[in-house]
Amino acid sequence: MVARSVKAKAAAPTTAAPAAAAPTTAAPTSILALDPATSTGWAYFTIQDGVATLHKMGVLPVENSSPYQGDAMLSLRTQVEGIMESLPAPPDMCHIETFFFSKKFCNGSDLNLLLRGAIYQLMRERQIPYALHAPTMWKKFVAGRSRPNKGDIEKHGKTKAAKEYVKD
């Protein structure tokens, strides 16, 4: 089990804060995050009192050798169902990374949309709300910026898709 915690950045208050009240502990919110592709990255984490804790993560290799795109959709759906069954409870929500379309690099865009459709259907069948987020949004939340700087690259190195690393 991977467990990492990140303190969420709080926005500066716009009005004076009231007198100190007794701290309250909210129930944790669980989130399943997915980046759908033929190599789908995923993470399961909880957020409680402004702290995000990563519990599990990995990569799902989507079977894409069939001439029918529906088989790739079923491959991803079955694997996501397996992840959800392994969790202690259904996630409170699903975060799905948006897809970048480019007129220069459009190979696979139709399959990518179909893979996302399989996830949308699965979440609705299980009545789990989902939201779409651009990669720059979550990267900015986690790292404080949307692109790595030279120091990040020197510290963590470069990585290619479908490889994972965690250096503390």
Side-chain angles (χ1 to χ4, degrees):
M1 174 188 284
V2 175
R4 292 185 77 186
S5 295
V6 177
K7 178 74 174 164
K9 293 182 180 180
T14 56
T15 60
T24 59
T25 302
T29 300
S30 61
I31 299 173
L32 176 62
L34 299 166
D35 181 9
T38 53
S39 179
T40 295
W42 67 274
Y44 172 73
F45 60 98
T46 55
I47 299 175
Q48 185 171 19
D49 296 329
V51 177
T53 303
L54 175 63
H55 298 281
K56 296 180 179 185
M57 67 179 184
V59 176
L60 305 174
V62 176
E63 175 56 43
N64 191 23
S65 62
S66 170
Y68 299 101
Q69 293 174 325
D71 291 336
M73 295 169 68
L74 288 171
S75 171
L76 178 58
R77 180 189 168 108
T78 301
Q79 292 181 75
V80 172
E81 286 176 317
I83 290 169
M84 293 174 66
E85 295 300 324
S86 75
L87 300 176
D92 295 316
M93 78 166 299
C94 182
H95 155 92
I96 303 168
E97 188 171 297
T98 57
F99 184 66
F100 173 74
F101 287 95
S102 166
K103 61 183 174 182
K104 289 184 178 182
F105 304 103
C106 60
N107 292 348
S109 58
D110 55 343
L111 177 60
N112 195 285
L113 289 172
L114 293 171
L115 294 174
R116 290 166 191 283
I119 293 170
Y120 300 163
Q121 287 180 329
L122 175 60
M123 294 305 139
R124 295 317 311 137
E125 281 179 14
R126 294 184 178 223
Q127 299 182 351
I128 297 171
Y130 64 86
L132 309 179
H133 298 105
T136 53
M137 187 191 90
W138 66 261
K139 287 178 184 176
K140 189 169 186 176
F141 174 77
V142 171
R145 61 191 165 281
S146 60
R147 292 178 177 244
N149 62 27
K150 186 176 179 181
D152 294 332
I153 294 169
E154 288 172 359
K155 181 178 177 183
H156 300 291
K158 291 185 178 182
T159 185
K160 294 183 179 179
K163 292 186 180 179
E164 59 187 64
Y165 62 87
V166 176
K167 285 186 178 179
D168 289 323

